[in-house]
Amino acid sequence: MNDFLKGLKRVGIKLGFFAITVLTILLLPIFSLIRIIEKIFKAKILYFDPKKERNSVGRYLIDNWIGETYQAQNNRVFVYFLFPALGAFLLFVALPFIQGIYFSMTDWTGLNDPSFIGLINYKTIFLDYEFGFSFLRTAIYAILNIALINVVAFSLATLVTQNLKLKNVYRAGFFMPNLIGGLVLGYIWKFIVDKVIVQMGGVFSPSLLINGNTAFLSLLIVVTWQYAGYIMMIYIAAIQNIPQDLVEASEIDGANSWQKFRNITFPLVAQAFTVAMFLTLVTAFKQFDTVISLTQGGPAFVLPEWIGNIYGLNLLPVVQSTDLVAINIYNEAFVNYNMGIGQAKAIVFFLILLVISLIQVYYNKKKEVEL
Amino acid sequence: MKKLLLVLGLFTVIFTMTACKASEKTLVIYQNKVEIDEVLRTYAEAWGEANGVNVEVKTCGGDTCAYGTQILAEFQADEQPDIFVIEGMGGYNIYADKILDVTGEAWASDTDLEFVVDGKTYGFPVAVEGWGMAYNADILTAAGVDPATLTSQAGYLAAFQAIQAYYDGNASMSDYAVVSMAAASGMTWVTGLHNFNGYLSSGLAYNDSTVIDKLNNGEVDASRLAQLADWVELLFTWSDETILLSGGYDEQVGKFAAGEAAFLHQGNWTDSSYTNSDFEFGYAPHATLTTGNTSLFIGAPSYYVINKDTDSEADAKAFLNDLASTAEGHDYMVNQAHMVPAFNAVTLVPSTPLSALVMEWNQAGNAYAWWQNDMPSGFGMEVVGPIYELFAKGVAGASGGITKTEFIAQVTAAIENLG
C-alpha cells in the first residue's frame, strides 16, 4: 500500500513537472521579451538568485529554463527552433480544432451568426437513428475492409518477393490501381457492375448496386482492389528487410517453409503490420470519394428491426445502406446545412477514431520484435 | 544608390496596384448551369466589353460540383460573387442575409415569375422550365393512342396497355420501353423533387400553397398522397426495369432519344439530347390525381440575385436589365442557351422541341406551380427519394422493396417528422 502511494506520488510529481515544462515553453516568448526590455533599460525585472532559491519547483525552473546554466541556455535554444513548426501546428491544426469544438455547440448554418446552444447538438445526434446506423455500417465496413485488404496485400507481397521472373512487373501492376483517383475508380467500377457483369446474369442481374448488402460488398471489393497494392508495398519493404542469415540458419536447422513463415517472417514484419493496420483502419473510417461515385451513399434500405427497437421506432424508416460516417457528416453539413450538428458528429467521430486507433497501435506494438 | 533603387521599386509597386484598381471594374457571376457556361461566358464578355466591365463567369453544377456547397465556401472564403443563383424559397432562406432587394427594376414589370418575398422583389428568373410526361408522338399514333385522353390515371393505363400491345405485335420492338424513368440513388431529384411535386401542386391554382404549407407543418393530405401512390405505382409498373432500378440520367434520356421509349419522365432541359432524334414530340400532364390533370409543372427553377455586399451594384443591375430587354440578351437566352425566357417582351421561339412545347403550354396558361424547392433542404432528395427507390424495387419485384401501403406509411411518417 505504501509502495503504491509512493508510486502515485512519483507519477504525480512527474506529471507536475511536465505541466510546468509545457507552461514554460509556451511562456518563453514573454520571458525573452522581458529579458530584452531588461537589457534596453538596464533594469532587473525578473531576477532569480540561484543561491537563495530553496523551493524545488523554483530550482527546477532556474536550472533548466530561465537561469544562466548551460542546460537552461540549451533548452531555450531548442524551444526557439521549435517555434516555426509549433506555430504552424497551432495555427492550422490546433486552432481550427478548438474552433470546431466551439462550432459543435452552436446552431451555425454556414451563413448566420452562430449562437451558443450548449450540448444540444450532441443530444440530437445520439438520438439520431441515421447516425447510429451509419456508425454501425462504418464499423462493419472497417472490420471487413481491414481484414480483406491486409490479407490480400500480405498474400500479394509474399507472392512478389518469391523468385518470379517478372516480379517487378507484377509489383507495378498490383500497385497501379492506387494511382487512379477514388472518384474515377468508382465511376469505372459502377460501369463495370451496372453494364458489364450484369450480362452474366444470375446473381449479377439486376445490378449488384441496387441491393443494400451487395452494394456494400461491391464497395468492399473495389476499395480492396484499389488499396491492397499500396499496403502490399509496405509489406514488401518489410519482407525484404528480413536478414537473410536468419533464414539461412533456420534452413540449416531444417525448418520447413511454414515454420520459417511462422517464426521468422511473421514476427519480423510485425512492425509493418502496425503501420498497415493503422493506415487501413483510418482510411476505412474516412472512406468518402469511392462511395460517392460508386453508390452515392445508396441504395435505400429499410432500417433493420433490432436497431429500430433500440431507438423505439414503430415504423422502420428508410436509410441509405452505404451511408458511411464521412458521407453522413458531409450531408448533414452541406446538404441539410446543419453545420453545428455536422461539426458535433465530426467531433464524436474524431474521438471514437482516436480511441480505436490508439488501442490498435498499442496492441500491435506489443507484437513487434526489436532486432 | 541602393536606397534610390528601393524607393523606385516601391513606387512601381504602388503605381501598378493603384492602376489595377482604377481600371478594373469587375462583375463576378457564379452560376449553376454547366450546359450554358460557354454561351453565357461569350455573352457576358461581349456585354462587358461594350460596358467597360470585366465580367467573370464561374460555373459549378451538374453531377460533379455541388453548387450549394461551393457557394457557401466562396462566401466563407470571402470571395463573394456579385451575382449568384438561388433555387426558390429554400435557397432564399439560406442566403436571406446576403440578397439585395431589387424592387422596382425595369425587368420586373415584364415578367410574372420574379422571386418575391413579402412584396419585395429579390430574384431575376433565369429561365422557365417545365416537366411532364414527354411522349414520342410517332409511337402513340402507331399504337392508336389519343394524347388528349392522357389526363387521368385510367387514360394513362389504357394508353400504356395499347402501347405494350403495339410493341408485342412488332418483333423488332421487344426491348422498347413504355415509360423511361429512373429511381436509383443518383436520380432522387427526379423522384423526390419532380414527381413528388405533383402531390404539392397538381390540380391547384398557381399560387395555392395550402399543401406545401401543410407539409412544412408536418400535416399530410392523405387523399392526395394515396392518389400520388397510385400514379407512382402505375409509372413504375410500366417502366423499363433496368433503367428504373439502376439507370442514370444518360440511360433514361438516351432510351427516349433513340426512339425506343414512348414516355419520358423529364423536363425540357433534356432538349440537348435530341439532335439526332427524328420523331414528333409531345407533352402530357402527370396524372398525379386520379382524374382532371390539365397542366405541366412550369416555373423558374432558379433566380439570379445580387449580393448585398457587392461593390458593383449598378453594373449588376444593368447586366440583368440588359439581359431582359436587349435583342442580344434575348438572342442569348433563346438561341444560344436554348432556354425559355420568362419575359413577355421576348418574341423568339425556341428551336428545340420540348422547350417550344413548354413555352406553348405556359402561354396557354396550363401550368401547375413548383413547390418542391420550398420543402426543407434535403427533404425531397434525401428523405422522399430513397422511399421512391424502395417502392420501385417493390414494384419491380427486386429484393428489399416495399409495397404501396408501406410507401404511403413511409411518406406519411417522413412528412409528420417535419412538424
Side-chain angles (χ1 to χ4, degrees), chain A residues 20-291:
Chain A
I20 292 166
T21 313
V22 171
L23 264 179
T24 337
I25 290 175
L26 291 177
L27 292 177
L28 217 56
I30 301 171
F31 171 75
S32 6
L33 204 73
I34 294 173
R35 276 285 137 89
I36 292 168
I37 295 169
E38 276 178 353
K39 275 199 181 137
I40 293 170
F41 294 103
K42 300 212 167 70
K44 279 194 174 138
I45 304 168
L46 211 74
Y47 179 71
F48 294 95
D49 187 350
K51 280 162 198 154
K52 281 183 189 157
E53 194 62 49
R54 290 277 173 268
N55 185 327
S56 68
V57 175
R59 273 235 71 88
Y60 167 80
L61 274 181
I62 289 166
D63 286 349
N64 285 293
W65 292 103
I66 50 183
E68 295 303 324
T69 61
Y70 177 74
Q71 179 72 39
Q73 284 178 351
N74 244 357
N75 275 354
R76 285 206 295 271
V77 171
F78 289 154
V79 173
Y80 296 146
F81 276 113
L82 185 68
F83 273 120
L86 191 71
F89 173 78
L90 289 177
L91 194 62
F92 297 113
V93 179
L95 191 71
F97 184 77
I98 293 164
Q99 215 179 3
I101 294 177
Y102 164 71
F103 280 130
S104 76
M105 298 181 196
T106 65
D107 59 355
W108 196 37
T109 59
L111 283 168
N112 65 345
D113 282 329
S115 56
F116 191 79
I117 54 167
L119 294 174
I120 291 174
N121 286 338
Y122 289 91
K123 196 183 149 200
T124 313
I125 62 175
F126 281 113
L127 296 175
D128 178 7
Y129 62 84
E130 272 182 48
F131 190 60
F133 175 74
S134 169
F135 228 111
L136 182 83
R137 278 310 252 205
T138 315
I140 297 171
Y141 172 78
I143 293 167
L144 294 176
N145 198 25
I146 292 166
L148 202 60
I149 289 185
N150 281 292
V151 168
V152 171
F154 194 74
S155 319
L156 290 179
T158 14
L159 208 70
V160 297
T161 44
Q162 308 297 321
N163 274 327
L164 297 172
K165 247 186 190 162
L166 293 169
K167 64 180 177 187
N168 284 330
V169 177
Y170 292 138
R171 282 181 198 180
F174 293 136
F175 186 72
M176 206 69 92
N178 193 55
L179 299 177
I180 310 173
L183 272 178
V184 179
L185 199 104
Y187 285 122
I188 293 172
W189 275 90
K190 189 179 167 62
F191 174 79
I192 292 175
V193 175
D194 273 350
K195 300 278 160 61
V196 182
I197 64 171
V198 175
Q199 310 293 339
M200 288 157 62
V203 288
F204 299 113
S205 172
S207 165
L208 289 178
L209 292 179
I210 68 161
N211 178 289
N213 289 325
T214 50
F216 193 72
L217 201 71
S218 318
L219 180 67
L220 269 178
I221 292 169
V222 172
V223 173
T224 306
W225 184 75
Q226 180 196 21
Y227 207 50
Y230 183 72
I231 301 297
M232 175 194 78
M233 282 300 181
I234 296 175
Y235 286 134
I236 290 177
I239 290 174
Q240 283 178 336
N241 271 338
I242 296 171
Q244 283 308 304
D245 44 354
L246 280 181
V247 182
E248 264 172 46
S250 69
E251 271 165 7
I252 291 164
D253 289 342
N256 63 24
S257 51
W258 168 248
Q259 283 168 327
K260 271 193 285 181
F261 175 75
R262 176 72 194 79
N263 297 313
I264 296 174
T265 313
F266 206 71
L268 287 178
V269 297
Q271 218 160 358
F273 268 116
T274 313
V275 178
M277 296 271 267
F278 179 77
L279 283 177
T280 44
L281 178 90
V282 173
T283 42
F285 268 97
K286 296 199 297 196
Q287 196 69 61
F288 186 83
D289 48 359
T290 315
V291 189

Side-chain angles (χ1 to χ4, degrees), chain B residues 50-345:
Chain B
N51 291 276
V53 182
N54 186 4
V55 191
E56 190 189 342
V57 178
K58 291 192 200 171
T59 302
C60 169
D63 280 349
T64 46
C65 186
Y67 183 76
T69 313
Q70 271 308 314
I71 191 124
L72 215 56
E74 298 262 321
F75 274 120
Q76 283 164 8
D78 231 23
E79 289 175 8
Q80 308 202 355
D82 301 305
I83 295 178
F84 62 101
V85 176
I86 60 165
E87 296 183 324
M89 204 59 204
Y92 174 78
N93 286 336
I94 298 169
Y95 305 112
D97 303 340
K98 297 280 177 191
I99 298 175
L100 186 74
D101 176 3
V102 289
T103 311
E105 284 293 296
W107 56 260
S109 56
D110 195 30
T111 179
D112 304 322
L113 288 166
E114 72 271 31
F115 184 74
V116 179
V117 179
D118 295 336
K120 287 178 183 159
T121 309
Y122 291 99
F124 175 103
V126 177
V128 172
E129 284 185 356
W131 70 82
M133 298 300 287
Y135 60 80
N136 180 329
D138 294 1
I139 294 182
L140 260 65
T141 315
V145 174
D146 177 10
T149 63
L150 299 174
T151 56
S152 66
Q153 291 177 3
Y156 266 104
L157 179 63
F160 289 166
Q161 281 165 342
I163 292 165
Q164 188 60 52
Y166 165 65
Y167 288 163
D168 292 343
N170 283 283
S172 62
M173 295 181 181
S174 61
D175 62 342
Y176 275 32
V178 178
V179 179
S180 180
M181 169 151 195
S185 309
M187 298 299 287
T188 50
W189 53 281
V190 175
T191 52
L193 294 178
H194 296 168
N195 190 280
F196 192 67
N197 184 53
Y199 167 76
L200 303 171
S201 72
S202 274
L204 303 176
Y206 198 81
N207 50 12
D208 183 347
S209 63
T210 43
V211 183
I212 176 71
D213 290 344
K214 278 172 82 176
L215 179 129
N216 283 329
N217 289 325
E219 291 165 44
V220 182
D221 188 325
S223 140
R224 289 182 73 89
L225 185 57
Q227 296 181 60
L228 172 81
D230 287 336
W231 167 236
V232 175
E233 188 186 32
L234 184 66
L235 277 178
F236 284 173
T237 311
W238 295 91
S239 289
D240 179 279
E241 204 171 287
T242 316
I243 294 175
L244 180 68
L245 296 180
S246 63
Y249 178 82
D250 292 341
E251 287 88 26
Q252 189 201 358
V253 179
K255 187 89 177 168
F256 182 69
E260 294 178 0
F263 288 95
L264 175 74
H265 187 293
Q266 280 288 4
N268 63 308
W269 51 86
T270 56
D271 268 340
S272 57
S273 311
Y274 305 132
T275 39
N276 296 321
S277 307
D278 57 343
F279 52 84
E280 284 294 306
F281 290 82
Y283 250 133
H286 275 205
T288 312
L289 304 178
T290 315
T291 53
N293 303 279
T294 56
S295 303
L296 303 186
F297 304 112
I298 297 175
S302 49
Y303 305 89
Y304 289 135
V305 292
I306 300 177
N307 185 348
K308 209 180 231 171
D309 305 325
T310 179
D311 297 328
S312 18
E313 190 182 315
D315 290 330
K317 282 181 172 171
F319 180 81
L320 294 182
N321 265 326
D322 286 354
L323 191 58
S325 59
T326 62
E328 290 84 10
H330 294 175
D331 177 65
Y332 150 73
M333 287 195 283
V334 178
N335 294 333
Q336 311 298 325
H338 302 298
M339 299 191 296
V340 185
F343 299 96
N344 301 332

